[in-house]
Amino acid sequence: MQNDNYYIELAEFVHKEVINWDPIGLIKGGAPNDEYDTIEKRFLSGIINSNSEIDILNKVKSNLEYFGLDITELSTKKKIQLELEIKDIIEKLRKRNIELK
């Protein structure tokens, strides 16, 4: 079992990554920094529970749809870009997770 600092540091890292990503521009539009908290939780729980990349990816995409992003209406190029951005964050989080352990 990890100590509290591990979870705090990992959660802060996830928060920073998601805010910087700002997938649908809510933060740039003036939304509070906790606007994507459900997406952050998807990343965080996926990393902590060692879920597969595809599982985390699908859960994050599902949350984006909750925010009103209709993924089915995106062009193929935009869908690929979105998935690459999510996978990039997953990779960064996995590396950070290893560093913190």
Side-chain angles (χ1 to χ4, degrees), residues 13-26:
F13 189 81
V14 170
H15 178 71
K16 184 185 105 192
E17 288 297 318
V18 172
I19 292 301
N20 287 335
W21 177 39
D22 193 13
I24 53 179
L26 297 176

Side-chain angles (χ1 to χ4, degrees), residues 32-47:
N33 282 346
D34 66 350
E35 191 67 29
Y36 294 119
D37 64 340
T38 57
I39 291 173
E40 291 176 29
K41 288 175 186 173
R42 294 294 187 197
F43 278 117
L44 189 59
S45 67
I47 296 300

Side-chain angles (χ1 to χ4, degrees), residues 46-69:
I47 296 300
I48 290 171
N49 295 316
S50 300
N51 293 351
S52 70
E53 180 180 82
I54 193 71
D55 184 49
I56 299 169
L57 175 75
N58 287 335
K59 287 179 179 178
V60 170
K61 285 178 11 182
S62 176
N63 272 119
L64 286 170
E65 289 175 335
Y66 171 79
F67 281 101
L69 178 64

